[in-house]
C-alpha cells in the first residue's frame, strides 16, 4: 500500500528557534507522523534569528534563485536545508534577504510587529509551493501551522489548482492561541494577485483586515481545521463549525496526541 504524503508548513520548529507550543508541535508532529509510516516534507521560514552554522543549514542550488514576482517587484527565492539532529527529519527553509535573513520573526528587535507581515506570508506561501513543484512531489495533505502559512490554502485552491502537484491535495489549518496584533497592511491585496488568486476575495471579509479575518481566509479554503492548543480565539472555532468544515480540538490535550492527528488525516482523505 502506498504511503500517504503530508507536507508540513510550519512557522516554527525547535531547535532552530526558541521552544514554544508552536515550535514544539512543529518538531514533534512531523517526526511522529513519519514513524506512523507517512512520507513527509517539512518547510519553515529561515528567520533572521536562526543560526545557520549551528543548525548546519546549506543552500540547495538546484532549487534556489527563482524570482517570486508580485507588486511589480522581483523577490529572489533561496532554499536552504538542514536535518534535525537525531531524527530523520529534513527541513527546507524559505529564505530571502529582505523578508527573512535580515529580520526576526513576527516582531523586530524592539518587539514591534513588522508592517509587512502579510506580504512576507505571501512570499513564503509561493516559495513553498514553487519548491514542491520543483521537487516533483505530490502531497495528499498540506498541514499549515502558524500565521505564516495562512495564504497557502487560498493559493492551493486558486492559483495552483491546475498544478499536478496539488490537484487532489487536501488542506488542514491548525489554529493556535498566539498570533499577530496589528492589522494586515493595506498593500496586501495587490501583492496577493497571482494567476487565479485575486484581491477581490478580500471583499468577503471585514474592511479592517485584522488577524481574525486573516485566519478566516485560511479557514475558508481549508478542508479541515484543528484547534491545536489552549487560548484559541473561540470566534474562529465557531466560525469553522458554522461553515461545516471538519474540525478537531486538541485544546485540552496535555501532550501531543499523534493517534488523533493520524485519524483526522484519514477522515479528511476519505
Amino acid at each position: 500500500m502506498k504511503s500517504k504524503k503530508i507536507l508540513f508548513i510550519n512557522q516554527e520548529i525547535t531547535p532552530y528557534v526558541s521552544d514554544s507550543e508552536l515550535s514544539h508541535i512543529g518538531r514533534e508532529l512531523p517526526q511522529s507522523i513519519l514513524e506512523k509510516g507517512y512520507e513527509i516534507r517539512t518547510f519553515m521560514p529561515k528567520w533572521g534569528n536562526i543560526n545557520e552554522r549551528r543548525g548546519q543549514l546549506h543552500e540547495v542550488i538546484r532549487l534556489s534563485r527563482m524570482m517570486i514576482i508580485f507588486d511589480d517587484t522581483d523577490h529572489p527565492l533561496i532554499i536552504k536545508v538542514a536535518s534535525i539532529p537525531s531524527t530523520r527529519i529534513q527541513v527546507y527553509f524559505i529564505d530571502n534577504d529582505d523578508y527573512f535573513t535580515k529580520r526576526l520573526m513576527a516582531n523586530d528587535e524592539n518587539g514591534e510587529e513588522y508592517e509587512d507581515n502579510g506580504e512576507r506570508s505571501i512570499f513564503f506561501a509561493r516559495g513553498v509551493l514553487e519548491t514542491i513543484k520543483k521537487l516533483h512531489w505530490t502531497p495528499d495533505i498540506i498541514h499549515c501551522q502558524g500565521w505564516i502559512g495562512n495564504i497557502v490554502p487560498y493559493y492551493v485552491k486558486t492559483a495552483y489548482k491546475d498544478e499536478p502537484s496539488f490537484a487532489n491535495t487536501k488542506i488542514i489549518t491548525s489554529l493556535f492561541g498566539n498570533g499577530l496584533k496589528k492589522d494586515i497592511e493595506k498593500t496586501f491585496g495587490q501583492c496577493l494577485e497571482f494567476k487565479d488568486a485575486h484581491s477581490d476575495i478580500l471583499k468577503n471579509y471585514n474592511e479592517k483586515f485584522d488577524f481574525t479575518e486573516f485566519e478566516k481566509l485560511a479557514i475558508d479554503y481549508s478542508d479541515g481545521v484543528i484547534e491545536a492548543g489552549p487560548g484559541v480565539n473561540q470566534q474562529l472555532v465557531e466560525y469553522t463549525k458554522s461553515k461545516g468544515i471538519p474540525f478537531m480540538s486538541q485544546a485540552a490535550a496535555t501532550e501531543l496526541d499523534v493517534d488523533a492527528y493520524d485519524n483526522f488525516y484519514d477522515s479528511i482523505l476519505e
Side-chain angles (χ1 to χ4, degrees):
M1 179 178 173
K2 186 176 71 171
S3 62
K4 288 168 286 197
K5 298 177 181 178
I6 311 289
L7 168 60
F8 289 98
I9 298 181
N10 298 289
Q11 182 170 306
E12 303 170 27
I13 300 174
T14 187
Y16 302 109
V17 297
S18 299
D19 200 23
S20 67
E21 178 187 38
L22 234 172
S23 68
H24 174 73
I25 292 180
R27 159 71 177 80
E28 296 298 329
L29 183 58
Q31 176 67 30
S32 299
I33 289 299
L34 180 66
E35 292 169 358
K36 286 274 189 183
Y38 289 77
E39 185 178 333
I40 72 162
R41 295 286 188 276
T42 303
F43 281 75
M44 73 173 288
K46 211 298 289 178
W47 304 111
N49 56 333
I50 293 174
N51 187 310
E52 294 192 40
R53 182 184 60 79
R54 188 181 305 140
Q56 299 184 342
L57 278 66
H58 62 272
E59 185 175 349
V60 185
I61 301 297
R62 69 183 179 89
L63 298 176
S64 293
R65 306 305 170 180
M66 177 190 300
M67 289 293 177
I68 303 292
I69 304 170
F70 54 82
D71 199 21
D72 296 326
T73 304
D74 292 353
H75 304 276
L77 172 64
I78 301 169
I79 306 298
K80 296 174 180 175
V81 70
S83 296
I84 299 177
S86 304
T87 74
R88 292 185 291 143
I89 300 293
Q90 190 176 57
V91 179
Y92 291 89
F93 295 85
I94 298 295
D95 201 3
N96 172 274
D97 282 349
D98 295 326
Y99 288 134
F100 298 115
T101 297
K102 295 178 180 178
R103 293 199 266 170
L104 302 179
M105 298 169 68
N107 302 330
D108 64 19
E109 294 85 351
N110 298 316
E112 291 293 321
E113 283 187 8
Y114 294 108
E115 297 291 343
D116 62 347
N117 277 332
E119 189 174 318
R120 297 169 83 200
S121 71
I122 290 171
F123 178 85
F124 177 72
R126 287 183 55 185
V128 171
L129 298 174
E130 292 295 339
T131 303
I132 288 296
K133 284 170 53 182
K134 278 192 172 185
L135 289 170
H136 302 292
W137 195 70
T138 306
D140 296 300
I141 288 176
I142 297 176
H143 189 168
C144 302
Q145 304 191 96
W147 65 262
I148 196 68
N150 274 1
I151 305 303
V152 171
Y154 177 58
Y155 271 148
V156 170
K157 298 296 179 69
T158 56
Y160 290 84
K161 68 180 187 301
D162 296 323
E163 296 286 353
S165 292
F166 308 110
N168 299 306
T169 301
K170 302 295 185 182
I171 314 291
I172 293 174
T173 293
S174 280
L175 305 176
F176 291 86
N178 57 348
L180 303 175
K181 302 292 188 285
K182 289 185 177 180
D183 296 352
I184 304 302
E185 64 272 17
K186 294 187 181 300
T187 56
F188 177 75
Q190 65 199 53
C191 296
L192 188 66
E193 296 274 347
F194 179 59
K195 294 184 177 178
D196 292 330
H198 301 294
S199 59
D200 286 352
I201 188 65
L202 299 181
K203 293 178 181 177
N204 296 332
Y205 303 93
N206 289 340
E207 185 175 353
K208 177 181 166 63
F209 196 68
D210 59 11
F211 183 65
T212 298
E213 299 302 299
F214 194 31
E215 294 270 81
K216 286 180 180 178
L217 175 61
I219 290 168
D220 283 342
Y221 291 87
S222 295
D223 299 289
V225 173
I226 298 172
E227 184 181 17
V232 171
N233 183 345
Q234 289 304 295
Q235 180 184 342
L236 295 173
V237 171
E238 294 306 318
Y239 182 81
T240 301
K241 293 178 178 178
S242 74
K243 294 280 184 174
I245 299 169
F247 175 79
M248 179 180 81
S249 178
Q250 290 292 286
T254 56
E255 58 184 31
L256 187 68
D257 188 343
V258 181
D259 289 336
Y261 279 88
D262 187 17
N263 292 334
F264 192 64
Y265 293 155
D266 283 341
S267 70
I268 297 300
L269 291 173
E270 288 171 0

